[in-house]
Amino acid sequence: SQQGEEDPQALSIQEGENATMNCSYKTSINNLQWYRQNSGRGLVHLILIRSNEREKHSGRLRVTLDTSKKSSSLLITASRAADTASYFCATGGGSNYKLTFGKGTLLTVNP
Amino acid sequence: DGGITQSPKYLFRKEGQNVTLSCEQNLNHDAMYWYRQDPGQGLRLIYYSQIVNDFQKGDIAEGYSVSREKKESFPLTVTSAQKNPTAFYLCACTGGNYEQYFGPGTRLTVT
């Protein structure tokens, strides 16, 4: 079953603008991660935020987590054409390190 | 050069034939996973293995089989019992920090 649901399904912006993607989930989690997938390729891990953290930064990425609302957001600042990809959130909670992925947001950054 | 590889990149089979997808990693990670991705969809877990000679069904295991005879290898067989096998298949592994490392994927087309 897919626990994470990203919003919006697709987002188109101009280079230099910020992009915000949201993720909602249903059950309690140990951590939430964001991954990026270029068309036809494997996923690449971007950032992990633990359930006891509220915000995390990595370069141009900023992730927030609100466990009371069971939601997370990924902000990409000063976007570039090379940021064009699908972005997935994934939640983890068990000792078996399984992740449950959402359906993703397709981000298109126009030059 | 550490990583996780999948072969082949593209695979074509006739309906009714079994086919085996390869996944190899040299990251010395214990846990390995197989996912299926359909167009515009997220990842769905087929099987996972936390240790050699042990594996567990994921959410959509019917019509698939796996083996884990070596730590570095986790092949997936798509059997003729899988009703809709055409998809993009992704293999991943993790060393226990929840972050998953993905292979480049195998696109299987069954006609």
Side-chain angles (χ1 to χ4, degrees):
Chain A
S1 58
Q2 290 180 307
Q3 171 166 226
E5 289 292 336
E6 289 89 345
D7 172 57
Q9 290 186 353
L11 180 60
S12 181
I13 60 174
Q14 296 300 120
E15 218 168 14
E17 294 180 340
N18 294 343
T20 300
M21 288 159 268
N22 302 296
C23 171
S24 60
Y25 58 92
K26 295 174 184 167
T27 63
S28 62
I29 61 172
N30 175 287
N31 67 84
L32 186 143
Q33 303 179 43
W34 286 90
Y35 287 79
R36 165 197 170 123
Q37 183 182 34
N38 286 78
S39 182
R41 311 286 290 271
L43 277 70
V44 175
H45 180 265
L46 294 176
I47 195 165
L48 179 151
I49 186 165
R50 299 191 186 282
S51 58
N52 60 355
E53 297 176 309
R54 291 297 166 259
E55 189 171 311
K56 203 162 182 180
H57 296 253
S58 177
R60 293 185 296 114
L61 305 181
R62 173 180 167 247
V63 170
T64 62
L65 179 64
D66 187 336
T67 53
S68 67
K69 294 181 180 178
K70 291 187 168 61
S71 68
S72 172
S73 68
L74 171 67
L75 169 67
I76 303 175
T77 60
S79 62
R80 306 165 182 168
D83 293 328
T84 294
S86 290
Y87 292 82
F88 295 89
C89 69
T91 53
S95 60
N96 54 23
Y97 305 108
K98 281 172 55 180
L99 293 178
T100 303
F101 287 83
K103 294 185 179 181
T105 292
L106 176 59
L107 173 66
T108 302
V109 182
N110 301 299
Chain B
D1 205 14
I4 178 166
T5 59
Q6 293 182 242
S7 62
K9 189 172 175 65
Y10 299 97
L11 193 52
F12 298 87
R13 279 294 182 272
K14 294 289 187 186
E15 197 173 318
Q17 293 179 334
N18 291 355
V19 60
T20 298
L21 282 59
S22 166
C23 178
E24 303 278 332
Q25 55 103 354
N26 61 5
L27 298 168
N28 200 34
H29 287 170
D30 286 314
M32 297 185 74
Y33 308 82
W34 273 106
Y35 295 93
R36 171 185 172 130
Q37 186 178 32
D38 293 285
Q41 299 294 311
L43 278 63
R44 292 185 289 169
L45 183 64
I46 304 172
Y47 267 98
Y48 66 102
S49 169
Q50 292 181 266
I51 199 168
V52 174
N53 292 322
D54 184 58
F55 47 82
Q56 308 293 329
K57 292 182 179 179
D59 299 318
I60 55 165
E62 185 175 349
Y64 300 98
S65 66
V66 294
S67 63
R68 186 87 187 275
E69 298 176 0
K70 299 185 297 182
K71 187 175 186 177
E72 56 270 23
S73 179
F74 190 40
L76 172 75
T77 296
V78 184
T79 75
S80 57
Q82 168 48 235
K83 290 181 172 48
N84 187 17
T86 294
F88 188 51
Y89 291 88
L90 287 159
C91 180
C93 62
T94 182
N97 63 353
Y98 283 102
E99 176 183 338
Q100 291 193 4
Y101 299 85
F102 282 81
T106 292
R107 188 166 300 279
L108 173 65
T109 302
V110 177
T111 57

